[in-house]
Amino acid sequence: EAVLDLQGIEKTYNRGRAGEVQVLRGIDLTIARGEVVALVAPSGAGKSTLLHIAGLLDTADSGRVAIGGVETGTLSDARRTELRRREVGFIYQFHHLLPEFTALENIVLPQLANGIRRKAAEARARDLLSRVGVAHRADHRPAALSGGEQQRVAFCRALANAPKLLLADEPTGNLDPETSDQVFAALMELVRDTGLSALIATHNLALAARMDRTVRLDAGRVAPL
Ligand code: ADP
Ligand code: ADP
């Protein structure tokens, strides 16, 4: 069963105006349950645009997006938001953690917003933190953590509500190469342990090689590597 199914996705910015740019020209991409796919493309090729459309943060001009078998084209904005919150986790190059809250609270808050009780939310947050090796940092605010630790906490937050699909945009792109390797390994372990499906954009071909499959964005279409 496909966790993510994209068919014929097209996207043009500034259509018919100055600065028109046709970014996606018919993207077909299916991600099966438990499959981890690398998305490789040069900067400006449309990786962020594709991830935002796949995660229901942006809409395509045409084409289909289905998540967990749910066709999203006819959903109301409220239903789209609900589906995104329940089924999709996002990770960016920058952690985007809330600075005034501890690592633990950053993982607890999205669960409370999703109706989980505090006790259960804290237990899940601690379990996630220990899986990526930062349980001892639970009560620190983001500013007190290293870059690698901040990203590990951001991974936990993305998984807080047990999504089916993880979308990551250069998740270790801000880290030095050695830290990047370690943090990426922690992310892959977390993804494999939870059986998550993922689409992970990266420039790093060595990291891409550790995933199940690599797709390349070429002139607005998906091509094999
Ligand atoms: P990538 O993530 O691969 O670097 P993006 O999806 O961010 O690529 O951008 C693809 C192209 O679309 C770039 O040329 C970028 O400048 C352009 N673009 C992205 N977002 C917008 C926008 N909101 N308005 C106009 N152009 C955009
Ligand atoms: P990233 O590729 O890491 O997401 P970008 O700097 O490409 O970072 O994009 C940051 C934000 O700005 C995104 O939301 C993107 O859609 C938007 N954006 C990118 N390029 C343009 C552009 N040429 N015009 C308007 N918005 C843009």
Side-chain angles (χ1 to χ4, degrees):
E1 187 210 5
V3 168
L4 175 66
D5 190 15
L6 303 177
Q7 296 298 328
I9 299 295
E10 298 184 350
K11 181 72 173 182
T12 298
Y13 290 112
N14 301 320
R15 181 185 293 285
R17 286 180 281 138
E20 173 172 307
V21 46
Q22 196 180 350
V23 181
L24 305 177
R25 298 166 181 256
I27 298 286
D28 300 328
L29 177 63
T30 299
I31 300 185
R33 182 170 303 283
E35 196 178 25
V36 179
V37 178
L39 179 64
V40 174
S43 196
K47 294 190 297 291
S48 302
T49 301
L50 181 60
L51 290 170
H52 284 167
I53 290 171
L56 309 181
L57 288 170
D58 195 359
T59 52
D61 300 330
S62 54
R64 289 179 39 222
V65 179
I67 295 179
V70 176
E71 293 290 342
T72 63
T74 54
L75 297 179
S76 66
D77 283 354
R79 293 295 311 281
R80 275 171 67 86
T81 301
E82 186 196 321
L83 186 67
R84 184 179 74 236
R85 292 212 176 121
R86 198 177 60 226
E87 308 287 16
V88 186
F90 285 95
I91 306 173
Y92 299 93
Q93 212 174 77
F94 182 72
H95 59 77
H96 295 296
L97 296 169
L98 299 171
E100 65 272 34
F101 292 98
T102 64
L104 187 84
E105 283 298 306
N106 267 280
I107 304 164
V108 165
L109 289 172
Q111 298 182 73
L112 299 182
N114 216 25
I116 310 288
R117 286 162 174 268
R118 173 163 280 277
K119 262 228 158 77
E122 286 188 6
R124 176 164 176 83
R126 287 188 194 283
D127 176 54
L128 287 166
L129 287 169
S130 70
R131 284 167 184 265
V132 292
V134 287
H136 59 300
R137 303 302 245 160
D139 299 323
H140 290 79
R141 292 185 186 185
L145 307 179
S146 71
E149 289 171 340
Q150 289 168 344
Q151 277 309 78
R152 289 171 197 251
V153 175
F155 299 166
C156 297
R157 186 198 38 196
L159 271 60
N161 284 316
K164 285 199 181 83
L165 176 67
L166 177 70
L167 299 173
D169 198 348
E170 298 279 348
T172 61
N174 258 344
L175 305 172
D176 65 73
E178 192 187 333
T179 309
S180 170
D181 271 8
Q182 292 166 1
V183 170
F184 190 83
L187 174 62
M188 285 304 287
E189 203 171 315
L190 189 60
V191 166
R192 296 301 190 187
D193 277 1
T194 49
L196 207 57
S197 307
L199 181 59
I200 303 179
T202 181
H203 290 300
N204 186 328
L205 292 179
L207 297 185
R210 295 198 223 156
M211 301 183 219
D212 298 323
R213 177 160 64 98
T214 297
V215 296
R216 197 163 54 87
L217 269 188
D218 183 28
R221 292 201 172 79
V222 162
L225 191 68

